């Protein structure tokens, strides 16, 4: 049951992140190849780096090609949907991003603990899984990544990873721990979007 829950959650995360990649690509009027690339890197970028850092090779999507099919089908359906509605509301991108962040963060932390890594490392691996795909997407599209701005983005990921590690430590049950941590990450990120919450920014600019 746990394996099925993790697998389905992972696929849902793939779908939401692939959609966010398509939203960015179509907004920039990319061709089908560009759309597929942005959908793919957003969906698997973080998990790929995580697996390589942990030595979990070959990485997950090479072992299971279902991920590739899911990304391509999601990209195709998303393009058809966007073509039908002609334009997408601006709020959709951060919302899809938030769901992907919540799911991938906990998947990454869970996998790190499963491989025997410590709690702090699991939190880092969760954050890498959650944010790196979006970073690659933004860099390829010529934007400053969310995680490098004042957005409460990586902070939400770190909170989710820490919640999962804590719940796992006190043995609340794997599925319950994952759900609690996902909701914690998602709640913080969505609240930050809705209430326009942000971290303080620092600058060394001085008037002459």
């Amino acid at each position: 049951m746990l394996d099925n829950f993790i697998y389905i959650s992972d696929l849902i995360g793939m779908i939401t992140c692939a959609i966010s990649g398509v939203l960015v690509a179509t907004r920039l009027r990319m061709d089908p190849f560009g759309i597929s690339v942005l959908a793919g890197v957003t969906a698997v970028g973080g998990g790929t780096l995580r697996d390589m850092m942990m030595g979990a090779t070959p990485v997950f999507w090479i072992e299971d090609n279902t991920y590739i099919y899911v990304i391509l089908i999601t990209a195709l359906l998303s393009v058809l949907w966007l073509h039908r509605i002609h334009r997408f509301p601006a709020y959709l991108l951060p919302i899809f991003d938030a769901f992907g962040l919540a799911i991938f963060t906990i998947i990454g932390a869970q996998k790190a603990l499963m491989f025997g890594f410590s709690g702090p490392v699991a939190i880092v691996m969760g954050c890498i899984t959650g944010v790196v795909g979006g970073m690659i997407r933004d860099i390829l599209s010529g934007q400053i990544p969310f995680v490098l701005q004042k957005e409460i983005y990586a902070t939400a990921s770190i909170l989710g990873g820490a919640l999962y590690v804590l719940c796992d430590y006190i043995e609340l049950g794997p599925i319950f721990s994952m759900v609690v941590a996902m909701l914690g990450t998602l709640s913080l990120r969505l609240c930050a979007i809705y209430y326009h919450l942000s971290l303080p920014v620092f600058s060394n600019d001085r008037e002459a």
Side-chain angles (χ1 to χ4, degrees), residues 17 42 45-51 53-54 97 100-112 118-136 146-148 151-165 185:
C17 285
T42 309
T48 299
L49 180 59
R50 173 204 65 211
D51 283 2
M53 292 179 69
M54 296 196 307
D97 227 28
L101 177 71
I103 294 172
F104 280 167
T105 292
I106 312 312
I107 294 291
Q110 189 275 337
K111 189 166 187 176
S118 65
V121 172
I123 294 171
V124 172
M125 289 298 118
C127 189
I128 287 173
T129 309
V131 309
V132 167
M135 288 182 66
I136 298 173
F146 276 146
V147 68
L148 300 181
E151 296 279 347
I152 296 180
Y153 191 73
T155 307
S157 179
I158 293 170
L159 170 67
L163 276 175
Y164 179 74
V165 170
T185 307

Side-chain angles (χ1 to χ4, degrees), residues 48 50-60 62-63 111 115:
T48 299
R50 173 204 65 211
D51 283 2
M52 292 175 65
M53 292 179 69
M54 296 196 307
T57 54
V59 297
F60 65 101
I62 293 178
E63 285 192 312
K111 189 166 187 176
F115 271 69

Side-chain angles (χ1 to χ4, degrees), residues 33-49:
F33 178 74
I35 292 172
S36 300
V37 168
L38 281 200
V41 298
T42 309
V44 304
T48 299
L49 180 59

Side-chain angles (χ1 to χ4, degrees), residues 9 21 27 33-34 45 51 54 62 70 76 86 90 97 99 117 125 128 142 149 154 156 163 174 176 183 188 191 193:
S9 297
R27 186 176 63 194
F33 178 74
D51 283 2
M54 296 196 307
I62 293 178
V70 167
L76 175 61
H86 301 297
D97 227 28
F99 277 91
F117 291 99
M125 289 298 118
I128 287 173
Q149 301 182 61
L163 276 175
F176 182 77
L183 289 176
L188 179 56
C191 283
I193 294 170

